[in-house]
Amino acid sequence: PFPPIGQQFFGIIQEKTWQEPFWMIVATVLLNKTTGRQAAPTFWKIKRRWPEAVDLANADYDELFEMIKHLGLQHQRTKRLQALATAWHTDPPQAGRRYRTLHYPGKGDGKQFKKDETIEEDADHCAGALEIAHIPGCGPYSWDSWRIFCRDVLRGVADDYRGTNAQKDDFEPEWKRVLPGDKELRACLRWMWLKEGIVWNPLTGDRRDATEEEMAKAQRG
């Protein structure tokens, strides 16, 4: 079930953290293969304990390990979080600098780039290369979240992921080009499309105008 389309937010953690991209990516790493009910409280504890990327990078390994061990894969996740934080602190994402995402978002994407190549080029359509692809621990879920909630702001083409104060009259927000694999991201985008009166197919990207009945149902939630 969706919240009513009149509400401001759908209810996922990315909506609460998109203005702090580092922490949004940390949240996606913790949420991957873990329910939000389990991971979200732990995420907020980590953020309070180590409020900056450099703090998490230099956190005591055993303390972080103990904080996340109930989520499972604790050794792997502890190392991944600290590697992510170190990379973000030393080489944060920059507009106009992208790195290869092989076979993302589609099969064959990125084959035109070398494995460790830095693509010094901005692009509306980012098939095969993203600004955060050099950050360890990230995969399609993190990349989809980045594109939906953060990429437009980093590029300076809008003030937020909704396209507020877009720089071009024909601007299309990045979220409208994403076909996420995660079920919550899919549901969120279906809801965002319905707010515009559109029924969107998360598998194909096909769109059509919503019927009056569908819009009435969406208004009720």
Side-chain angles (χ1 to χ4, degrees):
F2 295 165
I5 58 173
Q7 289 189 189
Q8 186 176 2
F9 300 110
F10 182 77
I12 59 175
I13 200 167
Q14 288 90 335
E15 294 170 306
K16 299 177 181 179
T17 55
W18 68 269
Q19 292 174 295
E20 297 180 280
F22 166 70
W23 286 110
M24 192 198 74
I25 296 302
V26 169
T28 65
V29 171
L30 288 173
L31 284 166
N32 193 25
K33 298 182 180 179
T34 307
T35 66
R37 182 175 296 180
Q38 287 181 299
T42 302
F43 165 77
W44 294 113
K45 287 180 182 178
I46 292 171
K47 188 176 185 298
R48 287 192 296 269
R49 178 67 181 87
W50 299 287
E52 303 292 339
V54 64
D55 301 324
L56 185 57
N58 295 321
D60 179 78
Y61 181 93
D62 292 335
E63 183 180 357
L64 179 58
F65 175 91
E66 287 297 320
M67 192 174 289
I68 67 174
K69 69 178 183 180
H70 64 287
L71 300 178
L73 303 173
Q74 53 267 36
H75 283 293
Q76 181 179 347
R77 278 188 164 132
T78 301
K79 292 176 181 178
R80 183 175 295 169
L81 287 174
Q82 294 204 287
L84 187 163
T86 298
W88 196 286
H89 174 64
T90 58
D91 188 15
Q94 299 179 46
R97 178 176 292 180
R98 297 182 294 137
Y99 307 85
R100 186 174 77 159
T101 55
L102 186 61
H103 301 306
Y104 174 88
K107 185 176 181 180
D109 288 337
K111 293 180 71 174
Q112 69 271 37
F113 305 125
K114 296 178 182 178
K115 181 179 179 180
D116 297 318
E117 181 178 355
T118 300
I119 299 96
E120 300 283 356
E121 174 192 36
D122 187 34
D124 288 339
H125 296 274
C126 56
L130 272 179
E131 297 83 2
I132 64 165
H134 65 301
I135 301 294
C138 297
Y141 177 50
S142 298
W143 295 340
D144 286 341
S145 297
W146 169 262
R147 290 178 60 202
I148 294 167
F149 293 99
C150 299
R151 187 166 189 257
D152 286 339
V153 177
L154 178 78
R155 296 179 61 223
V157 296
D159 287 349
D160 60 24
Y161 63 90
R162 302 178 186 90
T164 302
N165 295 324
Q167 299 299 304
K168 297 180 181 179
D169 292 337
D170 60 348
F171 175 75
E172 180 183 57
E174 181 73 25
W175 68 263
K176 292 187 175 183
R177 296 191 285 266
V178 182
L179 295 177
D182 176 73
K183 63 181 182 180
E184 281 198 339
L185 287 181
R186 285 180 175 179
C188 181
L189 290 193
R190 288 180 64 194
W191 177 78
M192 289 169 69
W193 276 112
L194 276 170
K195 289 170 78 73
E196 300 194 5
I198 300 294
V199 173
W200 170 77
N201 185 321
L203 299 178
T204 65
D206 292 341
R207 314 168 193 173
R208 63 170 174 81
D209 292 338
T211 65
E212 290 185 8
E213 182 179 352
E214 287 169 330
M215 288 304 296
K217 183 178 179 180
Q219 292 285 355
R220 295 191 300 269

